[in-house]
């Protein structure tokens, strides 16, 4: 249990002053029951008696994506979900229609299928106390896993399917900044969601499916108010007959570290100018108390930075908006401080931002802000179990997926509480200010995204003006 920011997992240099004397191995949360069938198919089930009224969440993760496609197969990984979403070998049309009528949570909609470079994810959200729907869901998911129906009829229906039923990750593959990040990576020329070449040979699509959809690269996640023992038996019954084994290795998806650069691009989706100040972060899997403490310190440093800037904006009262986006993608982590402003105020807003950052680096976080942040974290820790009980089941299952995707041990609340207590007890303003100074002394990239057709702004001029105020300083000793 690492909190709702599990998607933003970053690290930095290990600081002895914040680590326990000896690294403690993190223990996986025993609340998640796990198993593996003889054919290699894996399952994980979280029983949530504290949330009896929540919908039951199901996620089938298949470790195959667009990286597996060769040139003649472009778009196959995107086409296959469209075929299986609208057909079933073992469910009648009426049952399949009834399943989909109940399987979408209108309050928290989630795409039925997501295709990325290295995975495909199928998602269902079912009302509780409907065992017949859960049984039909398992049957349909087992069809997806090994018995999909490939005929000219199912292909024709898939070609007409609404594009919104199958999403991609990242969601905007054509985003100019993402295109820049792809340079030199194994992901380039393997975009998920590419259209297939027509006419489509349905037999070749089926062959591709059987090659890459094998039980040894699949995991079924279920979270909700369920009986783990009986449900695990039903999972075994539904998926034990799957056959096949992955024979062909897939290239490992990797990104290169972001090089410090000054870039200006246009985007049809941009509404106003956005200047992103972006820097790389060290990243290491979280599997012991040292790496966890390291993550917490870096995360708290970023939160302190953002709160400091937000408090300053309260007095400024203009059209400037700030956002902080930190994430790990394919073993590379970075942060972007995003500044949204009208074109005629972009330079003024940038200079204001530089002055704020310079002041924070040189003077540190004001004591009253540190005290407020520290008190908030203490209060959250005291309410840990109550907060856990209030966490929606869909958040818990998505958090689990992100943890495992980023090689993070998802620990139990009890171990979390004990380690978090030790971390907060060691936290001082001097330690936090040292991390702030280190972070604000890094080399950064300036990335300006403007609406298409707008008069171009000189990004180099913005960078030079920013650096006249900020001027990168030496790393703290």
């Amino acid at each position: 249990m690492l909190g709702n920011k599990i998607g933003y997992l970053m690290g930095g240099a290990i600081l002895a002053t914040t680590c326990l004397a000896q690294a403690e191995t993190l223990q996986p949360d025993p609340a998640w029951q796990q198993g593996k069938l003889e054919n290699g198919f894996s399952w994980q089930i979280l029983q949530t008696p504290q949330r009896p009224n929540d919908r039951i969440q199901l996620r089938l993760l298949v470790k195959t994506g667009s990286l597996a496609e060769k040139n003649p197969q472009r778009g196959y990984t995107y086409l296959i979900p469209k075929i299986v979403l609208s057909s079933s070998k073992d469910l009648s049309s009426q049952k399949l229609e009834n399943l989909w009528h109940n399987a979408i949570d209108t309050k928290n909609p989630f795409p039925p299928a997501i295709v990325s470079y290295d995975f495909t994810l199928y998602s269902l959200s079912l009302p509780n106390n409907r065992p017949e729907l859960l049984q039909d869901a398992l049957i349909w998911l087992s069809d997806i896993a090994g018995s999909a129906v490939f005929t000219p009829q199912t292909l024709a229906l898939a070609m007409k399917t609404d594009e919104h039923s199958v999403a991609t990750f990242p969601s905007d593959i054509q985003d100019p900044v993402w295109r820049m990040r792809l340079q030199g990576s194994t992901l380039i020329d393997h975009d998920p969601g590419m259209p297939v070449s027509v006419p489509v040979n349905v037999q070749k699509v089926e062959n591709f499916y059987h090659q890459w959809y094998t039980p040894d690269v699949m995991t079924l996640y279920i979270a909700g108010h369920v009986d783990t023992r009986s449900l695990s038996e039903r999972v075994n019954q539904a998926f034990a007959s799957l056959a096949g084994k992955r024979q062909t290795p897939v290239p490992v998806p990797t990104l290169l570290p972001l090089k410090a650069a000054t870039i200006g691009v246009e985007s049809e989706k941009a509404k106003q100018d956005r200047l992103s100040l972006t820097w790389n972060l060290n990243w290491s899997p979280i599997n012991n108390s040292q790496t966890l403490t390291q993550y917490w310190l870096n995360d708290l440093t970023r939160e302190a930075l953002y709160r400091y800037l937000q408090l300053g904006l309260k007095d400024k009262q203009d059209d400037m908006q700030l956002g902080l986006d930190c994430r790990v993608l394919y073993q590379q982590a970075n942060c972007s401080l995003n500044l949204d402003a009208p074109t005629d105020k972009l330079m003024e807003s940038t200079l204001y931002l530089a002055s704020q950052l310079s002041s924070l680096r040189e003077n540190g976080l004001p004591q009253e802000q540190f005290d407020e942040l520290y008190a908030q974290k203490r209060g959250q820790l005291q309410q840990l179990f109550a907060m856990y009980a209030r966490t929606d089941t869909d958040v818990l299952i998505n958090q689990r997926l992100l943890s495992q995707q980023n090689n993070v041990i998802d620990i139990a609340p009890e171990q979390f509480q004990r380690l978090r207590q030790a971390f907060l007890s060691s936290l001082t303003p001097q330690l936090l200010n040292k991390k702030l100074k280190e972070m604000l002394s890094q080399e950064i990239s300036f990335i300006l995204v403007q609406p298409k057709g707008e008069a171009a702004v000189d990004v180099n001029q913005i960078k030079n003006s920013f650096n006249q105020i900020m001027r990168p300083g030496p790393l703290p000793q």
Side-chain angles (χ1 to χ4, degrees):
M1 177 181 174
L2 294 179
N4 291 339
K5 294 186 179 179
I6 193 69
Y8 310 131
L9 302 173
M10 287 72 64
I14 294 178
L15 300 177
T17 52
T18 65
C19 293
L20 302 180
Q22 185 175 0
E24 175 184 341
T25 301
L26 300 182
Q27 301 300 322
D29 187 352
W32 277 97
Q33 298 293 302
Q34 304 182 55
K36 179 177 285 191
L37 309 186
E38 291 185 2
N39 58 12
F41 184 89
S42 298
W43 56 265
Q44 299 187 25
I45 299 175
L46 176 67
Q47 189 176 15
T48 57
Q50 77 277 12
R51 305 285 301 181
N53 297 319
D54 279 8
R55 297 173 69 90
I56 298 174
Q57 304 294 332
L58 299 94
R59 306 284 187 269
L60 177 64
L61 180 69
V62 184
K63 291 183 180 178
T64 192
S66 55
L67 271 175
E69 298 172 346
K70 297 180 180 178
N71 281 329
Q73 302 166 332
R74 290 287 187 258
Y76 279 14
T77 53
Y78 190 70
L79 177 61
I80 288 171
K82 295 171 71 174
I83 291 175
V84 301
L85 287 175
S86 55
S87 60
S88 173
K89 172 178 171 290
D90 295 307
L91 283 184
S92 66
S93 299
Q94 182 178 0
K95 281 194 171 185
L96 183 60
E97 183 179 349
N98 182 56
L99 176 63
W100 279 115
H101 179 72
N102 290 279
I104 302 297
D105 183 1
T106 55
K107 294 182 179 179
N108 298 293
F110 202 76
I114 299 175
V115 179
S116 190
Y117 296 92
D118 61 335
F119 72 85
T120 303
L121 180 67
Y122 296 93
S123 302
L124 293 172
S125 176
L126 304 177
N128 56 32
N129 296 322
R130 294 288 301 275
E132 78 286 358
L133 280 179
L134 182 56
Q135 183 61 33
D136 287 348
L138 293 176
I139 293 171
W140 179 72
L141 289 171
S142 68
D143 282 348
I144 286 178
S147 304
V149 180
F150 292 90
T151 65
Q153 290 75 25
T154 60
L155 174 63
L157 184 59
M159 298 294 282
K160 299 176 184 177
T161 299
D162 184 2
E163 295 291 332
H164 297 294
S165 62
V166 182
T168 63
F169 180 82
S171 58
D172 185 4
I173 296 295
Q174 299 307 319
D175 175 68
V177 177
W178 177 245
R179 304 314 301 176
M180 176 200 71
R181 291 289 286 116
L182 289 178
Q183 298 305 311
S185 78
T186 58
L187 310 180
I188 199 164
D189 296 328
H190 285 280
D191 293 342
M194 293 180 67
V196 292
S197 299
V198 292
V200 180
N201 186 319
V202 69
Q203 185 59 56
K204 290 183 177 179
V205 178
E206 184 174 7
N207 292 342
F208 180 90
Y209 163 82
H210 286 298
Q211 179 182 0
W212 297 107
Y213 273 58
T214 55
D216 56 315
V217 295
M218 296 181 182
T219 303
L220 176 64
Y221 299 83
I222 304 177
H225 189 39
V226 295
D227 185 311
T228 302
R229 176 175 292 184
S230 64
L231 183 55
S232 63
E233 292 174 354
R234 292 161 71 182
V235 169
N236 184 73
Q237 293 171 1
F239 296 91
S241 62
L242 296 177
K245 190 173 182 179
R246 176 68 57 83
Q247 301 293 334
T248 308
V250 182
V252 177
T254 56
L255 288 175
L256 297 177
L258 181 65
K259 295 181 179 179
T262 306
I263 301 165
V265 294
E266 288 186 339
S267 172
E268 294 182 351
K269 296 184 178 181
K271 301 300 182 183
Q272 66 173 346
D273 292 357
R274 165 168 287 186
L275 177 66
S276 297
L277 309 181
T278 305
W279 63 95
N280 292 311
L281 299 162
N282 292 327
W283 158 246
S284 53
I286 298 177
N287 52 23
N288 61 45
S289 57
Q290 286 190 344
T291 52
L292 178 57
T293 303
Q294 161 191 326
Y295 161 71
W296 280 339
L297 179 59
N298 282 278
D299 184 59
L300 200 62
T301 303
R302 289 183 290 271
E303 184 174 350
L305 165 70
Y306 187 63
R307 287 164 64 106
Y308 175 84
L309 294 174
Q310 287 294 98
L311 287 171
L313 281 180
K314 285 185 177 180
D315 300 325
K316 190 165 170 53
Q317 298 294 329
D318 64 6
D319 296 328
M320 174 183 175
Q321 293 184 340
L322 282 175
L324 183 63
D325 182 15
C326 302
R327 62 183 65 198
V328 176
L329 284 174
Y330 306 113
Q331 306 309 308
Q332 292 296 330
N334 56 60
C335 260
S336 292
L337 185 59
N338 300 316
L339 166 63
D340 294 335
T343 305
D344 59 350
K345 293 186 177 180
L346 184 60
M347 178 62 81
E348 176 189 341
S349 297
T350 302
L351 296 180
Y352 168 79
L353 179 60
S355 66
Q356 290 288 94
L357 294 175
S358 177
S359 175
L360 180 60
R361 187 182 67 179
E362 300 308 317
N363 302 319
L365 192 70
Q367 182 66 43
E368 62 272 16
Q369 290 191 30
F370 175 86
D371 293 341
E372 181 182 347
L373 181 61
Y374 187 83
Q376 181 192 67
K377 298 309 170 187
R378 282 285 190 185
Q380 289 175 351
L381 185 59
Q382 292 172 0
Q383 297 295 318
L384 175 65
F385 291 94
M387 290 172 62
Y388 185 73
R390 292 195 298 268
T391 303
D392 290 344
T393 304
D394 64 321
V395 174
L396 293 174
I397 195 169
N398 291 335
Q399 176 178 293
R400 180 70 170 185
L401 287 163
L402 286 167
S403 297
Q404 301 206 326
Q405 183 182 20
N406 290 312
N407 296 317
V408 174
I409 303 297
D410 204 4
I411 63 178
E414 293 79 9
Q415 189 179 27
F416 179 99
Q417 184 183 49
R418 179 168 51 80
L419 294 176
R420 185 72 169 180
Q421 177 69 45
F423 164 70
L424 290 176
S425 296
S426 69
L427 187 65
T428 64
Q430 293 76 18
L431 180 60
L432 189 62
N433 285 329
K434 182 178 181 181
K435 290 301 294 182
L436 278 166
K437 193 164 189 174
E438 180 182 315
M439 183 176 66
L440 293 173
S441 298
Q442 295 184 72
E443 207 171 9
I444 62 174
S445 293
F446 290 75
I447 304 171
L448 177 62
V449 179
Q450 295 186 270
K452 195 171 183 64
E454 188 177 87
V457 173
D458 188 340
V459 194
N460 281 295
Q461 184 180 0
I462 289 178
K463 174 186 176 182
N464 292 336
S465 299
F466 179 93
N467 284 337
Q468 284 179 7
I469 298 174
M470 190 67 185
R471 282 194 298 274
L475 289 174
Q477 299 299 317

